[in-house]
Amino acid sequence: KAVSTGGENATKAQLTTWYGNIGLVHKNQKRYSKALEYYSVALKIAEEGQIKTAVARHLGNIAGVYYLQANYQQALDYYFKALDISQKIGNKSNVASWMGNIGSVYIKTGKYKEAKQFLENALAIDSTLGAKEGMLYRYDELSHLYDSIGNYELAFRYYKKAIVLKDTIFSQENKKQLVRKEMNYEFDKKEAVTKAENEKQQAVAEEKSRKQKI
């Protein structure tokens, strides 16, 4: 059954996001054919609306499904299309993501030289952007790469880098959560004081009104 693209009142940007989200749900539930169906609709809408960031995103989403299906050639084709668009619009964060994903596919297909090139390029961009989670993924994949070719010294070196960075990210996230809790506590405290003051003022006003009536 064909997927409907109804919803004339919705913008193409909204529609492409909604269809993409439905595709993501199907992917997470391992209904890959359905995921491809919805991602393809999302891609078509993004292309019609000339929403290039969304076009690149859905190309990458489709590639990701093919990767999970071990259809590595199709995955590469779509990742390279996504990479080309992201490079043209200057989205460095996505360029790093697609390069990293291409590197991962090359590891799966035994093209370790190409994998190394793409992973190192992705890591360089992530490092420049300060994208720690991206760097963590690259370290993990480079460790996997060197383990695959028997270079255990480099594999362990990148594994250690990944562990150190993971601890840093975890520590920073804990600090953020602590700050959020403190801010929420301060807000709740101020709100309680304001509420008490309002109730006091209301009680005074009611008493004044009662006396006036008497």
Side-chain angles (χ1 to χ4, degrees):
K1 184 180 178 180
V3 177
S4 171
T5 57
E8 289 77 7
N9 294 329
T11 66
K12 289 190 184 298
Q14 289 173 320
L15 284 171
T16 190
T17 300
W18 294 339
Y19 280 102
N21 289 342
I22 295 170
L24 178 61
V25 171
H26 285 298
K27 188 193 83 168
N28 289 341
Q29 294 179 347
K30 298 183 180 181
R31 295 198 290 262
Y32 297 133
S33 60
K34 273 290 181 185
L36 287 173
E37 189 178 350
Y38 278 93
Y39 280 147
S40 296
V41 174
L43 174 61
K44 183 181 177 183
I45 295 169
E47 287 173 337
E48 288 172 354
Q50 297 183 345
I51 311 166
K52 292 183 179 179
T53 52
V55 171
R57 181 172 70 251
H58 296 310
L59 285 168
N61 287 337
I62 291 170
V65 175
Y66 282 128
Y67 178 84
L68 291 171
Q69 292 179 315
N71 189 339
Y72 298 125
Q73 188 53 57
Q74 283 280 65
L76 277 177
D77 289 345
Y78 278 90
Y79 275 139
F80 271 112
K81 289 176 184 177
L83 175 61
D84 182 56
I85 291 172
S86 295
Q87 285 175 327
K88 285 177 180 175
I89 63 178
N91 190 324
K92 291 183 179 180
S93 177
N94 283 350
V95 166
S97 294
W98 308 138
M99 281 187 168
N101 291 343
I102 289 167
S104 298
V105 177
Y106 278 137
I107 291 175
K108 289 288 188 182
T109 57
K111 295 184 176 180
Y112 300 120
K113 182 179 177 181
E114 291 88 345
K116 179 175 178 290
Q117 177 189 344
F118 276 91
L119 288 170
E120 287 181 345
N121 287 342
L123 178 59
I125 296 170
D126 284 326
S127 299
T128 302
L129 297 175
K132 288 185 173 61
E133 289 190 3
M135 292 169 66
L136 176 60
Y137 297 143
R138 310 317 158 217
Y139 287 149
D140 275 337
E141 285 299 271
L142 283 165
S143 176
H144 182 203
L145 165 65
Y146 285 115
D147 183 65
S148 298
I149 61 178
N151 189 334
Y152 302 118
E153 183 181 348
L154 276 178
F156 185 59
R157 185 184 301 176
Y158 278 107
Y159 174 75
K160 285 196 296 183
K161 284 177 179 285
I163 292 298
V164 170
L165 189 54
K166 194 177 291 183
D167 287 342
T168 302
I169 293 170
F170 181 73
S171 176
Q172 288 177 343
E173 187 56 37
N174 279 349
K175 285 179 183 177
K176 285 180 184 177
Q177 287 181 4
L178 183 60
V179 169
R180 280 196 291 267
K181 285 180 181 178
E182 288 175 351
M183 289 174 67
N184 287 338
Y185 171 73
E186 288 298 323
F187 176 78
D188 290 342
K189 194 165 68 173
K190 287 178 181 177
E191 196 175 47
V193 170
T194 302
K195 184 180 178 183
E197 186 63 32
N198 289 339
E199 287 175 351
K200 181 181 176 182
Q201 289 176 0
Q202 186 178 351
V204 170
E206 287 175 354
E207 179 62 18
K208 186 178 179 180
S209 176
R210 188 182 68 82
K211 285 180 179 179
Q212 285 174 345
K213 286 178 180 177
I214 293 171

